[in-house]
């Protein structure tokens, strides 16, 4: 179905896509939802896409929302890539997790505990850092 054909219809799975677009624990799920919602030119789908454009912690999701909105004829600007912490207070969060582990724990144990306790933090940084995520996290872990 082309964008023109979908002018005034919501996707049949709109509610599910809306939930997926806002799932803080999975940037991939948000990205997939943005891609799907971008095929539907309705006020509700545009609203969800604008929210992701302006509020997502992962720049790749923001970029996808921007491109979909442009394809739908919306006058939007691509936000600049965030510098500094993606999530406020991330250092405190990571210190707390490290302190909760026994002395001499491994990086892998730290990484697993972060994933279990704060999947939102893990996911945001994994999405933003991509292939460099493990290297970055290990460096941060060693410096805490």
């Amino acid at each position: 179905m082309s964008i023109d054909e979908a002018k005034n219809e919501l996707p049949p799975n709109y509610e599910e896509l809306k939930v997926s677009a806002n799932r803080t624990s999975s940037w991939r799920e948000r990205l997939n939802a943005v891609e799907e919602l971008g095929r539907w030119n309705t006020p509700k789908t545009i609203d969800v896409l604008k929210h992701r454009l302006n509020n997502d912690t992962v720049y790749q999701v923001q970029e996808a929302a921007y491109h979909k909105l442009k394809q739908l004829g919306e006058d939007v600007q691509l936000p600049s890539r965030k510098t500094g912490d993606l999530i406020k207070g991330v250092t405190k969060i990571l210190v707390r997790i490290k302190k909760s582990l026994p002395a001499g724990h491994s990086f892998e144990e730290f990484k697993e505990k972060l994933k279990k306790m704060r999947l939102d933090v893990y996911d945001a940084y994994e999405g933003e850092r991509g292939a460099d995520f493990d290297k970055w996290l290990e460096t941060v872990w060693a410096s805490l």
Side-chain angles (χ1 to χ4, degrees):
M1 181 180 291
S2 74
I3 289 173
D4 291 334
E5 292 174 68
K7 281 272 188 229
N8 298 311
E9 301 174 36
L10 279 175
N13 58 342
Y14 170 74
E15 289 301 325
E16 181 185 317
L17 287 170
K18 185 177 170 187
V19 168
S20 293
N22 291 301
R23 191 169 312 280
T24 58
S25 63
S26 178
W27 69 271
R28 287 177 182 87
E29 195 170 328
R30 293 193 310 274
L31 181 62
N32 290 337
V34 162
E35 294 293 338
E36 179 68 22
L37 288 166
R39 296 176 51 220
W40 303 84
N41 192 355
T42 71
K44 285 185 174 187
T45 56
I46 287 170
D47 185 52
V48 174
L49 292 171
K50 283 182 176 178
H51 185 74
R52 290 284 41 101
L53 170 67
N54 295 313
N55 299 298
D56 209 279
T57 52
V58 176
Y59 196 68
Q60 188 176 346
V61 177
Q62 288 181 305
E63 283 181 312
Y66 168 77
H67 291 297
K68 290 299 182 181
L69 287 162
K70 287 301 261 187
Q71 286 174 1
L72 295 172
E74 293 296 307
D75 183 21
V76 291
Q77 300 299 315
L78 181 62
S80 55
R81 190 181 281 271
K82 292 181 184 100
T83 56
D85 292 343
L86 294 178
I87 296 177
K88 189 177 178 182
V90 70
T91 303
K92 281 184 179 180
I93 292 166
L94 297 176
V95 165
R96 236 179 277 129
I97 290 169
K98 187 169 183 174
K99 284 183 176 181
S100 74
L101 290 163
H105 67 271
S106 70
F107 166 67
E108 286 302 321
E109 290 170 313
F110 172 78
K111 183 179 169 185
E112 280 307 306
K113 184 129 188 197
L114 170 61
K115 196 172 186 177
K116 282 181 189 163
M117 290 182 70
R118 290 300 303 266
L119 185 56
D120 60 326
V121 172
Y122 183 97
D123 186 74
Y125 281 92
E126 185 215 19
E128 194 62 27
R129 299 282 175 171
D132 296 330
F133 173 70
D134 279 352
K135 185 176 160 188
W136 168 82
L137 186 60
E138 190 164 7
T139 302
V140 170
W141 168 75
S143 73
L144 295 174

